[in-house]
Amino acid sequence: MAENSGGRARALRGGIDLGGTKIEAIVVDSRNNVRGTSRHPTPTSGGPPDVVQAMAAAIAEACARAGVESESLRGVGVGSPGLTDPETGTVSAARNLPGWEGSFPLAEALSKALGSPVHVGNDVRVATDAEFRLGAGKEYRSVLGVFWGTGIGGGVILRGQTWLGRGSAGEIGHTVVKLGGRQCTCGRRGCLEAYAGRGAMEIRARAKHENGQHTILFKLMEERGRTRLTSAIWAHALEHKDKLATELIDDAVAALGAGIASAVNLLDVEAVIIGGGLGVRFGQPFVDRISDAMLPHLLHDQNPPAMHVAALGDLGGALGAALLARQ
Ligand SMILES: [Zn+2]
């Protein structure tokens, strides 16, 4: 019996979606069915070792819910922000994580803490891979994943393969939608993210609010005990027909239409999958609006790509991370 359950545990893998606000951990079986999940807040102070500790705790909890020990997992994959090196397992310049400006051997440190092998990949790429293999992209050979959240991340799959370029392909958030346009968090001007990223929209909403424009956005934020404008708050403000929220989201949709259409003109992918916090929260009605906004910019507008909402929802990142641990 013991041998049998050990064999089953070996078939289980862990996946961690390491985000700036939360750590989402899952345990999956050989068919990628989710057997246990757990969500922990990302530490806001300290440094990489503190983040590793929180990740280990999250996996231990997901394992407990799946009825296995973390040492018995076949492996654990991590989808991480920043520059990831799959060969060495190091993560550098993950600026939305505390004290992580430099380079840190994440795979090595987490492997030591968990007692099982750890594989590291870029968060957006693994999420795109998950949609391609298990979600909305299953039927296609070429896919563009667009993750609409605090920033705008992208992933490209061509002929069934992730396209990495020289290591940093897919940065659709920093394609230029307006020359000399708004300041982006990357320091450049006119990027898609400067118009459609939740972070950039919040900065703009705050400035307009301080200049006397009425909005319920910040009232909603206080009522919910939040310090940021979450996707749920944006959705709520839109339902209440808040003028400022509507204006900013309209701008975001227009910018997404231009940015994604430009990428489609270049790559001619079969399908575009819209995910991320805002993408998943807003769902199909907004995917339809983005499709409409793309049309005037599409060269071959009689043959637009299929457009889908990410099918794996909030767990997509963690599922994609778990795919890294297949070997
Ligand atoms: Zn930028």
Side-chain angles (χ1 to χ4, degrees):
M1 275 304 280
E3 220 176 73
N4 195 10
S5 70
R8 272 205 304 276
R10 270 288 159 203
L12 298 181
R13 289 167 283 130
I16 302 177
D17 184 13
L18 174 58
T21 52
K22 63 177 195 293
I23 294 168
E24 189 96 58
I26 61 171
V27 171
V28 299
D29 62 22
S30 56
R31 296 181 163 198
N32 296 301
N33 295 311
V34 177
R35 303 284 292 271
T37 67
S38 115
R39 181 184 275 192
H40 283 216
T42 308
T44 51
S45 58
D50 302 277
V51 177
V52 167
Q53 208 170 31
M55 291 166 84
I59 273 289
E61 198 174 293
C63 281
R65 287 177 185 157
V68 287
E69 304 281 331
S70 60
E71 301 87 56
S72 60
L73 292 176
R74 184 185 180 129
V76 175
V78 181
S80 171
L83 300 168
T84 56
D85 185 336
E87 298 294 317
T88 61
T90 56
V91 174
S92 322
R95 292 194 182 83
N96 55 352
L97 299 175
W100 208 313
E101 291 78 23
S103 192
F104 182 78
L106 177 59
E108 191 188 317
L110 186 60
S111 178
K112 217 173 271 175
L114 292 176
S116 54
V118 172
H119 310 263
V120 172
N122 171 274
D123 51 358
V124 177
R125 260 183 225 144
V126 303
T128 302
D129 205 39
E131 287 296 333
F132 172 66
R133 290 180 195 283
L134 312 171
K138 269 194 296 198
E139 291 170 31
Y140 308 105
R141 297 275 296 152
S142 59
V143 166
L144 170 66
V146 179
F147 293 83
W148 183 18
T150 305
I152 315 266
V156 180
I157 299 211
L158 300 173
R159 286 187 179 161
Q161 300 274 324
T162 303
W163 174 254
L164 303 175
R166 290 173 297 155
S168 58
E171 293 289 1
I172 192 167
H174 303 280
T175 50
V176 177
V177 294
K178 192 175 175 82
L179 284 177
R182 278 181 213 154
Q183 180 92 40
C184 182
T185 47
C186 73
R188 293 163 190 85
R189 286 193 170 275
C191 300
L192 168 56
E193 189 168 303
Y195 293 84
R198 194 174 47 207
M201 289 196 296
E202 177 170 336
I203 291 169
R204 196 153 176 84
R206 211 176 275 282
K208 291 209 163 201
H209 184 51
E210 277 161 13
N211 269 333
Q213 190 162 343
H214 175 76
T215 177
I216 60 169
L217 280 166
F218 297 100
K219 201 178 97 204
L220 288 172
M221 187 181 84
E222 269 167 42
E223 278 170 13
R224 293 173 182 217
R226 301 288 189 158
T227 53
R228 295 263 186 85
L229 296 179
T230 60
S231 299
I233 292 170
W234 282 102
H236 204 87
L238 289 186
E239 278 161 29
H240 281 73
K241 305 207 178 328
D242 182 78
K243 201 165 157 263
L244 180 60
T246 305
E247 200 178 289
L248 288 170
I249 294 289
D250 285 353
D251 277 1
V253 167
L256 282 163
I260 297 170
S262 301
V264 170
N265 286 342
L266 182 69
L267 300 172
D268 196 23
V269 287
E270 290 168 87
V272 176
I273 297 169
I274 311 280
L278 282 168
V280 169
R281 165 69 62 165
F282 289 164
Q284 194 61 46
F286 275 79
V287 169
D288 295 342
R289 284 186 57 189
I290 293 168
S291 303
D292 290 344
M294 283 164 62
L295 273 184
H297 307 291
L298 281 179
L299 185 61
H300 299 290
D301 57 356
Q302 75 292 350
N303 189 24
M307 299 285 293
H308 297 280
V309 187
L312 305 173
D314 283 343
L315 286 184
L319 278 164
L323 287 173
L324 293 172
R326 274 172 305 172
Q327 288 96 28

